[in-house]
Amino acid sequence: MTAPSGEARGVEQYLERYESRDLLRFLTCGSVDDGKSTLIGRLLHDSQMVYDDLLAAARRDTIRHGTTEDEIDFALLVDGLEAEREQGITIDVAYRYFSTPKRIFIIADTPGHEQYTRNMATGASNSDLAIILVDARKGLLDQTRRHAFIASLLGIRHLVVAVNKMDLLGYAEERFEEIRSRFADFAAKLQVTDVDFIPMSALRGENVVRSGESMPWYQGPPLLSFLETVHIAGDRNLIDLRFPVQMVLRPDLDYRGYAGSVASGILRTGDEVMVLPSMRTSRIRRITTFDGDVGEAFSPMAVTVMLEGESDVSRGDMLVHPNNVPQLTREFEAMLVWMAEEPLAIGREYLLKQTTVQVPAIVSDLRYRMNVGTISREQADSLALNEIGRVRVETPRALAIDPYARNKATGAFILIDRLSNVTVAAGMILDREPAESLSARPIAIDAGSNVRTSPGRGIAPAERSTKLGQQPVVVWLTGLPRSGKSSIAYALEGELFKRGKLVAVLDGESLRLGISRDLGFSPRDRAEHVRRAAEIAKMMADLGSIVLAAFVSPTEAERRVAREIIGAGRFVEVYCNAPLEVCEQRDQANLFARARQGEIHNVTGIDAPYEPPLAPDLEIRTAERSVEEAVTEVLRLIL
């Protein structure tokens, strides 16, 4: 058998690269008449992805509708509904497919009208990138901000702001820079990885597929070149194995397979897996696809999995790694995009669909409604069409969930009206308690109505201070895990004890072995842990003691609650500021390493946020200061 020639090998390599191209899903959004459909039509036309018969039909329709003079109305290549062509607007989501030698694309052209915002949310739900069109003449409008907010809410990490119709303003660089500056200020409030800006004229095809000669001041790539090269592989979650079972296949007595699509992570033959919600474990015996058996599978592959031994698995169950388990809960908080004409009814029963599970559910509380124009929160009793709010959802069956920001597949759900079977809302599960509610509502049972509002007291605090010769104070040390809080606290305790002071340390990890041993590391449990610690610190301070409290207490809201419980007059906040890499070097228990491998969750600094104090009484850069130097600084502050 002769070896293939160099030319033949080159062809084979080219075909292999062509077949292995990755897929980019993106949508166009923005306000009415910003040119979304025209942009996509021009993109398809200039990349030679329009068939001759479609192009001829677009020319005929251009003449019939009179939308442009001599040019083809490229929007007609996308707007397919007759109502869209008559009114010159996009109503439904239009999907178009095209490819280049570098990448395959699926485009969702979404409506700009406010009344069709729900259609835009539908198109954004599976997109990797959003192109936000801005009419250079009008600038940023409310609908522009609304679409950008929804895109970020739905986990789209890459935004391209296409400043369109630059030709109508003489390609003015100043106008482009003004829009760039205003959107950048707005985007700072959104959770997006990167934002890029491209000036263009979609009608004339400038900076769409080819660079615009009329804008020499713009040195970046045209839109198509950007889309071909933007990196999205890092957006995929390959750590958390989540395999929702869609159906059980039983073609004969010797075969029992569990079919579904890999939502995230990687399935490998021989791996140990846990079945939720039963918590039983087994091993993967075989992974089968349409083309035969494979050794591993990853998102979004559709496969059938066979397990070793006998396992009770049914539709709605989920396969996960035993050391990387999602939260099993009957209640959670979520951001909800309301998509129905009839408003949200608090306490009404809906159907909730999440992965392959469908269960009854109620929205038990509406925390607030978002004003998407200003990214501010408003009090509300309900949500109307296209409105967005934060809600609490309760279900009779425990669901396996992840925060949407970590895993879209297990963090997303829809609500369905039980009578009409219409989808009324789309939801994104959140990971944290609302900051404004932590101090406003009790976390445990409120027994305040059953006790005296002013309990009697014996010895006055001033008498205790005089007797002990010291002023009570709570030094609240906060910072990342392994930032040095406990080391400073215990060294400080020793120095104060030498000076004859009544002093004690409250350490977060020690409390978890006793009074907080029933708590985990969810946002709600963390808040309760801090609340209990603050109550104990308050009682110790009431006895006249100096209290050194070392707690991560990652949010400003939690520390504010502690300050309110203890009393601002005797609360001293010390921020132990150490870079994450320094904390990881000090981590002998491998806490951070296990979190990066997905074995544990809610580790502050890795997959749980830390909010540095805005105005601490003292900041100690513990990577640059020794423990002795830190003790001296605290003593100087409190004595």
Side-chain angles (χ1 to χ4, degrees), residues 572-576 613 615-620 630 632-635 637:
V572 174
E573 186 177 54
V574 176
Y575 174 30
C576 297
D617 297 291
L618 175 65
E619 179 179 348
I620 304 174
T632 301
E633 292 187 47
V634 178
L635 289 174
L637 178 67

Side-chain angles (χ1 to χ4, degrees), residues 286-308:
R286 185 177 169 190
I287 303 173
T288 305
T289 69
F290 180 80
D291 297 319
D293 286 6
V294 294
E296 65 178 25
F298 48 85
S299 175
M301 293 175 62
V303 299
T304 299
V305 176
M306 293 185 67
L307 301 179
E308 294 180 354

Side-chain angles (χ1 to χ4, degrees), residues 19 31 67 97 130 143 259 288 311 347 391 415 417 432 451 456 502 516 519 532 589 606 637-638:
E19 291 177 354
S31 191
T67 49
Y97 307 83
Q143 189 69 342
T288 305
S311 300
V391 300
L415 292 181
D417 185 89
R432 299 179 54 196
V451 299
L502 179 62
S516 291
L519 300 177
R532 293 179 186 181
I606 303 298
L637 178 67
I638 66 174

Side-chain angles (χ1 to χ4, degrees), residues 243 245 247-260 284-294 302-311 313:
F243 182 74
V245 176
M247 67 173 63
V248 179
L249 300 181
R250 185 76 168 157
D252 55 57
L253 294 177
D254 298 324
Y255 187 98
R256 179 185 285 111
Y258 309 107
I284 299 177
R285 175 183 166 194
R286 185 177 169 190
I287 303 173
T288 305
T289 69
F290 180 80
D291 297 319
D293 286 6
V294 294
V303 299
T304 299
V305 176
M306 293 185 67
L307 301 179
E308 294 180 354
E310 297 293 329
S311 300
V313 183

Side-chain angles (χ1 to χ4, degrees), residues 455-508:
R457 62 192 318 162
I459 302 171
E463 296 180 73
R464 294 186 185 275
S465 296
T466 302
K467 182 72 173 179
L468 295 172
Q470 65 183 45
Q471 289 295 324
V473 64
V474 176
V475 179
W476 194 275
L477 297 107
T478 177
L480 289 172
R482 312 301 183 257
S483 61
K485 303 181 298 298
S486 298
S487 298
I488 295 172
Y490 284 111
L492 188 58
E493 180 191 36
E495 183 61 32
L496 288 168
F497 187 77
K498 289 178 184 178
R499 301 188 183 196
K501 303 297 183 182
L502 179 62
V503 60
V505 172
L506 281 180
D507 179 65

Side-chain angles (χ1 to χ4, degrees), residues 304-543:
T304 299
V305 176
M306 293 185 67
L307 301 179
E308 294 180 354
E310 297 293 329
S311 300
D312 182 14
V313 183
S314 58
R315 175 181 170 84
D317 290 350
M318 184 179 294
L319 303 184
V320 301
H321 286 312
N323 60 352
N324 185 339
V325 181
Q327 183 181 0
L328 281 173
T329 181
R330 290 184 175 87
E331 63 174 17
F332 56 85
E333 295 209 358
M335 295 299 294
L336 206 64
V337 181
W338 195 253
M339 306 168 70
E341 299 286 348
E342 183 180 357
L344 166 68
I346 303 297
R348 178 180 173 183
E349 189 173 279
Y350 298 94
L351 291 177
L352 182 148
K353 188 175 187 307
Q354 181 245 4
T355 61
T356 56
V357 181
Q358 182 167 297
V359 295
I362 63 169
V363 177
S364 59
D365 186 24
L366 172 60
R367 293 298 183 81
Y368 55 78
R369 178 178 60 207
M370 287 298 304
N371 183 325
V372 296
T374 60
I375 312 298
S376 59
R377 301 168 181 179
E378 303 173 341
Q379 294 297 317
D381 298 323
S382 183
L383 295 177
L385 176 65
N386 298 327
E387 290 185 338
I388 302 169
R390 180 163 186 160
V391 300
R392 178 175 292 277
V393 180
E394 298 179 9
T395 62
R397 167 183 169 174
L399 300 178
I401 65 170
D402 292 295
Y404 184 84
R406 181 182 180 92
N407 197 317
K408 287 186 178 182
T410 50
F413 65 93
I414 59 173
L415 292 181
I416 303 169
D417 185 89
R418 293 180 67 95
L419 297 178
S420 64
N421 207 37
V422 171
T423 299
V424 296
M428 286 67 67
I429 297 171
L430 299 174
D431 188 33
R432 299 179 54 196
E433 287 289 299
E436 75 280 359
S437 72
L438 289 175
S439 59
R441 69 178 177 86
I443 297 175
I445 298 173
D446 185 4
S449 60
N450 297 323
V451 299
R452 290 174 289 172
T453 56
S454 298
R457 62 192 318 162
I459 302 171
E463 296 180 73
R464 294 186 185 275
S465 296
T466 302
K467 182 72 173 179
L468 295 172
Q470 65 183 45
Q471 289 295 324
V473 64
V474 176
V475 179
W476 194 275
L477 297 107
T478 177
L480 289 172
R482 312 301 183 257
S483 61
K485 303 181 298 298
S486 298
S487 298
I488 295 172
Y490 284 111
L492 188 58
E493 180 191 36
E495 183 61 32
L496 288 168
F497 187 77
K498 289 178 184 178
R499 301 188 183 196
K501 303 297 183 182
L502 179 62
V503 60
V505 172
L506 281 180
D507 179 65
E509 294 186 4
S510 297
L511 259 63
R512 285 191 175 275
L513 298 176
I515 195 171
S516 291
R517 67 184 306 167
D518 61 319
L519 300 177
F521 292 89
S522 68
R524 175 183 287 269
D525 283 356
R526 284 180 183 273
E528 172 63 3
H529 180 51
V530 170
R531 188 195 68 81
R532 293 179 186 181
E535 293 286 1
I536 296 171
K538 175 183 181 298
M539 289 189 288
M540 295 174 69
D542 287 343
L543 292 173

